[in-house]
Amino acid sequence: MENQKKDAQIGVFHILKSVLDAKVPRLQDRVSAGKRAQAEYPILVDNIKALRQYVMNCRTFDPSEYHEAEADLDDKEMQLDGIQKRIDNGRTAERELAHVASFNQTYGAVCQKHNNASRVRELRAVADELEERMSRLEDKIWACQINMDNASRAPYVVSQAHSDADDYAAQYQDVEERLSRVMAQIKQLEK
């Protein structure tokens, strides 16, 4: 049941990733449009200032062109509103792209952790097996120590017990080193 839940969670991350990846080109287009609008904005503001001055002058000197200049001024002010909206949309898109970048980092970490989880389970099974083997070797070493009593055992039994105990101790040390390496791998994967 736990595996199904983890697989479902990683599945949600994969779906979110594909949705965000599909949005990125549109967001980048909006950012580009916003940057172009930022470049256009001061030029249009200067044009509007000049046109306002022209409208003021037309009202005084040439009333016939006043209406035409005023209509042109209204058109430029509407364009300025549109440019401001593109700038705002570009800034919003930049924030959304920052969120996408943050999600991508999280996604990478989650995928790495998910991929490592199966390897950690395998390594834990190996560690359990090694610990069981160490326990069996400890029992064998203890049994050899019992047979090392010169007073109650024959000399060949004592000699064989010393030899077997040395072999078991060497095996125990090898298994212990392997367990240490496996535990280090697990620790590294769980970071």
Side-chain angles (χ1 to χ4, degrees):
M1 184 67 169
E2 185 70 24
N3 264 353
Q4 289 176 341
K5 185 176 181 182
K6 287 182 181 180
D7 288 340
Q9 289 172 348
I10 195 71
V12 170
F13 270 95
H14 291 318
I15 291 168
L16 287 174
K17 174 77 169 135
S18 65
V19 168
L20 290 178
D21 285 348
K23 286 179 73 172
V24 166
R26 289 189 304 260
L27 291 174
Q28 290 171 336
D29 289 345
R30 285 175 43 200
V31 168
S32 296
K35 290 183 189 264
R36 286 191 306 273
Q38 284 177 334
E40 294 172 14
Y41 188 85
I43 297 168
L44 191 57
V45 167
D46 288 343
N47 285 344
I48 288 173
K49 285 180 186 175
L51 197 53
R52 282 188 181 143
Q53 185 61 43
Y54 181 73
V55 167
M56 295 294 278
N57 290 343
C58 284
R59 189 179 324 170
T60 309
F61 299 112
D62 192 0
S64 62
E65 290 192 22
Y66 170 75
H67 294 296
E68 186 178 321
E70 196 170 66
D72 195 25
L73 179 61
D74 290 342
D75 184 48
K76 296 282 187 205
E77 287 175 345
M78 286 177 56
Q79 286 178 2
L80 188 64
D81 287 342
I83 287 176
Q84 186 60 53
K85 286 179 184 174
R86 280 191 286 159
I87 291 171
D88 293 342
N89 283 338
R91 289 181 180 149
T92 301
E94 284 177 344
R95 286 191 297 274
E96 288 180 29
L97 282 174
H99 292 302
V100 168
S102 174
F103 173 81
N104 285 340
Q105 286 179 336
T106 303
Y107 175 77
V110 166
C111 286
Q112 183 69 32
K113 192 171 184 177
H114 177 75
N115 293 340
N116 288 349
S118 62
R119 180 70 177 136
V120 167
R121 282 191 298 276
E122 291 171 8
L123 288 173
R124 285 200 190 282
V126 169
D128 291 344
E129 183 180 312
L130 291 172
E131 287 172 348
E132 178 63 31
R133 189 166 175 202
M134 286 173 65
S135 177
R136 287 192 310 266
L137 287 169
E138 286 172 352
D139 291 344
K140 289 179 180 182
I141 292 170
W142 183 76
C144 287
Q145 289 171 346
I146 291 173
N147 288 331
M148 288 182 196
D149 183 11
N150 288 331
S152 61
R153 304 284 186 238
Y156 73 90
V157 173
V158 172
S159 174
Q160 184 65 43
H162 278 290
S163 176
D164 289 348
D166 289 342
D167 288 344
Y168 294 144
Q171 288 178 27
Y172 184 90
Q173 186 176 359
D174 289 343
V175 172
E176 188 175 41
E177 288 172 5
R178 285 181 53 203
L179 179 61
S180 177
R181 288 192 303 267
V182 167
M183 294 308 287
Q185 286 178 326
I186 289 171
K187 187 175 181 181
Q188 181 67 29
L189 290 171
E190 287 181 334
K191 282 184 181 180

